[in-house]
């Protein structure tokens, strides 16, 4: 159950991976850039899984009473999904900024 949030996010994360890999087309496609892109995507996936597991472990479930659990147990899957998506997006944004700084077009003064 602890990886359910990542499993449910997987299609969206794959689309974001493809978008990061394919665009922008104006940057040069060198082997150095491809290695950088692959490393950034690998780090983003690792960060997403680690943050999702951390979110699953830190969420507090409501107490069980005479009528069963009170509402709110859904947060055991929502919080890891939010943590995983946030970590994935943060790593990709940082990688995009660094990629643009390294391989972006040089401006002429």
């Amino acid at each position: 159950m602890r990886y359910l949030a990542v499993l449910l996010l997987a299609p969206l994360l794959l689309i974001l991976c493809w978008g990061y890999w394919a665009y922008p087309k104006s940057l040069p496609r060198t082997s150095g850039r491809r290695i950088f892109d692959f490393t950034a995507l690998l780090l983003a996936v690792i960060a997403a899984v680690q943050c999702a597991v951390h979110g699953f472990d830190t969420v507090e479930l409501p107490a069980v009473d005479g009528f069963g659990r009170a509402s709110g147990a859904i947060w055991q899957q929502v919080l890891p999904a939010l943590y995983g998506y946030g970590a994935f997006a943060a790593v990709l944004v940082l990688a995009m900024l660094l990629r643009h700084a390294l391989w972006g077009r040089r401006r002429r003064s």
Side-chain angles (χ1 to χ4, degrees), residues 6 9-18 41 45 48 84-85 88-89 92:
V6 176
L9 274 178
L12 175 62
L13 297 182
L14 287 174
I15 291 170
L16 290 176
C17 284
W18 170 79
L41 290 173
V45 168
Y85 179 74
F88 189 86
L92 279 190

Side-chain angles (χ1 to χ4, degrees), residues 34-102:
R34 289 301 178 196
I35 292 171
F36 176 83
D37 288 346
F38 178 77
T39 305
L41 290 173
L42 184 64
L43 287 175
V45 168
I46 290 171
V49 171
Q50 290 298 321
C51 286
V53 169
H54 175 70
F56 185 85
D57 292 339
T58 59
V59 70
E60 293 183 24
L61 293 176
V64 178
D65 58 8
F67 297 107
R69 274 201 178 125
S71 64
I74 190 67
W75 285 103
Q76 191 174 18
Q77 296 304 324
V78 172
L79 188 66
L82 292 174
Y83 279 10
Y85 179 74
F88 189 86
V91 170
L92 279 190
V93 165
L94 290 174
M96 284 175 25
L97 294 174
L98 185 59
R99 180 175 68 175
H100 183 70
L102 293 174

